[in-house]
Amino acid sequence: LLFFTNNSEKTRNEISEKLNNMGIFCVEEDIVSSGYVAVDLIKNSGYKNIFVCGSENFKKEFKNAESVIKFSAGEFNDMYRRYIEREI
């Protein structure tokens, strides 16, 4: 049985813990989240360097795959923030 969610606010581990607390036994590998799918897509696409924009837990999915994908979150977010502030 697999559980699917399009919410990237929680890690797969947090989702499995929540389901277990509700009496629904599962492990992290039973969860398919949008963040997990994004990481899988990037890994299989051949990209090695990416910028990630999203929640901290979304970024954690990429950190978990860091041996395959080198990513930067803060640099891009700072650059984007400076761009938006300049436009306002």
Side-chain angles (χ1 to χ4, degrees), residues 51-80:
F51 287 105
V52 177
C53 290
S55 69
E56 289 305 312
N57 284 331
F58 184 70
K59 293 172 192 171
K60 281 182 187 177
E61 291 287 354
F62 286 88
K63 288 178 185 173
N64 292 338
E66 196 166 12
S67 62
V68 178
I69 304 169
K70 299 300 177 207
F71 80 99
S72 175
E75 296 166 10
F76 182 81
N77 288 342
D78 290 342
M79 179 179 66
Y80 181 72

Side-chain angles (χ1 to χ4, degrees), residues 4-5 12 32-43 61:
F4 288 81
T5 179
R12 294 185 311 139
V32 179
S33 68
S34 56
Y36 177 78
V37 171
V39 168
D40 191 55
L41 176 73
I42 299 290
K43 283 194 313 192
E61 291 287 354

